[in-house]
Amino acid sequence: MQEKKALRKRMVGTCPAVPLIEGSEDERVTSPIILRYSIIFSLNFQILKSHSHFHASILFLLPKLSLQFAFYIPNSCIMGKGAGCIPSKNRPPPVADDPPTHSDQPPSLPPNARAIEPDAPPRQDTASSSSVPGDAKLKIFIVFYSMYGHVEGLAKRLKRGVDGVEGVEGVLYRVPETLPIEVLNQMRAPPKDDSILEIAPEDLEAADGLLFGFPTRYGAMASQMKAFFDSTGNLWKGQKLAGKPAGFFVSTGTQGGGQETTAWTAITQLAHHGMLFVPIGYTFGPGMFKMDFIRGGSPYGAGVFAGDGTREPSETELALAEHQGKYMAVVVKRLAKS
């Protein structure tokens, strides 16, 4: 017992001042808490050291624990400073310069806030706003090239299907011809329908949906339609057509002439513009599975077999085109609502 008292007295007399972590360099105190726990750890260290069965690693860690504990006492817990968890008895109670007052009135705004309030733009509810007015119809542009009239016949039935959906309207356009009239006469191409306007590339931006129709040339689109796509560079540069739904309908000379390849090789045009390709799949129903007669069309879109140019589209091929127009109109309407 006498040894413990002597050790405690010796440690209290020689313990250096410990700098506070939150205080300035000049603010140094000798904390009774630090001294107390330093003494306790030191006494326990002496007791454990004399114990023959205690592990030697504990003896090595105790001085470190004592030192770390001493230096991480926060300033608010130093007795005698009156700053926190162990307040000083000599510390006077806090006196506020301006005692808080309770009021039911909301805090007043600064003068400049009221001055700029009327000039602030009105807040708009984006959830209730719509890009399409309630009385305006969604427009699907049916853009095609037709030399002998087969694709044009499909385009007109596509328009009937589009117009059959409430709130959606189909608009027929043809792409510019690239062949001179002399060549067209030698190919015995019939004259164009003047009631259908030629489309310019910048007109595509006004469409809510697009349906492109063209005949095949070696399993790909005709050069007239390809030339039109090549002229849409400015739209591509600004990605003005990105997100617009689009589909295809085609015409081929024979059964193996490209009813599918003519459509899927054209998907690259849509991909670079960021448009959404909308195939019809097998939504036409049993008419897609009948094999007792020749029928154009595929899951990519409506189609017709032209043969040598004298064969007219069958009623099944025209009905499939009308179904595609209606199907695309429903898709465009759903996208507009979302």
Side-chain angles (χ1 to χ4, degrees), residues 43-118:
L43 291 177
N44 291 336
F45 175 76
Q46 295 294 333
I47 295 171
L48 292 174
K49 184 177 180 181
S50 61
H51 202 284
S52 58
H53 299 285
F54 207 83
H55 201 277
S57 61
I58 300 298
L59 302 179
F60 177 78
L61 292 175
L62 278 175
K64 292 186 176 182
L65 292 174
S66 176
L67 183 61
Q68 291 177 359
F69 185 88
F71 275 90
Y72 284 91
I73 298 295
N75 190 22
S76 59
C77 292
I78 299 300
M79 184 178 293
K81 297 297 290 183
C85 58
I86 307 179
S88 172
K89 295 180 179 179
N90 299 326
R91 182 184 179 185
V95 179
D97 295 335
D98 296 320
T101 58
H102 299 281
S103 175
D104 296 334
Q105 298 297 329
S108 59
L109 297 174
N112 58 348
R114 287 198 179 95
I116 64 175
E117 183 73 14

Side-chain angles (χ1 to χ4, degrees), residues 168-180:
V168 188
E169 178 185 4
V171 183
L172 293 174
Y173 286 105
R174 70 171 72 251
V175 299
E177 179 62 76
T178 59
L179 295 176

Side-chain angles (χ1 to χ4, degrees), residues 4-77:
K4 291 183 179 180
K5 290 182 178 181
L7 179 59
R8 184 184 295 112
K9 183 177 181 180
R10 184 168 59 254
M11 292 188 64
V12 171
T14 59
C15 182
V18 180
L20 297 177
I21 296 175
E22 299 179 2
S24 61
E25 294 182 359
D26 297 334
E27 188 180 8
R28 295 172 179 267
V29 296
T30 301
S31 171
I33 293 180
I34 298 176
L35 298 180
R36 177 185 176 187
Y37 283 97
S38 297
I39 293 169
I40 292 174
F41 277 108
S42 298
L43 291 177
N44 291 336
F45 175 76
Q46 295 294 333
I47 295 171
L48 292 174
K49 184 177 180 181
S50 61
H51 202 284
S52 58
H53 299 285
F54 207 83
H55 201 277
S57 61
I58 300 298
L59 302 179
F60 177 78
L61 292 175
L62 278 175
K64 292 186 176 182
L65 292 174
S66 176
L67 183 61
Q68 291 177 359
F69 185 88
F71 275 90
Y72 284 91
I73 298 295
N75 190 22
S76 59
C77 292

Side-chain angles (χ1 to χ4, degrees), residues 136-145 151-152 154-165 167-175 195-200 203-204 206-213 225 228 249 325 328-329 332:
K137 286 188 176 182
L138 299 169
K139 294 187 181 298
I140 296 179
F141 289 1
I142 304 171
V143 184
F144 66 92
Y145 173 76
V151 177
E152 184 175 331
L154 293 180
K156 291 179 179 179
R157 287 297 291 264
L158 279 159
K159 175 176 168 54
R160 182 191 297 184
V162 172
D163 294 341
V165 177
V168 188
E169 178 185 4
V171 183
L172 293 174
Y173 286 105
R174 70 171 72 251
V175 299
S195 65
I196 301 177
L197 301 178
E198 283 191 357
I199 191 170
D203 296 334
L204 296 177
D208 299 293
L210 292 162
L211 286 167
F212 297 101
M225 180 61 70
F228 175 76
F249 56 101
M328 174 62 79
V332 169

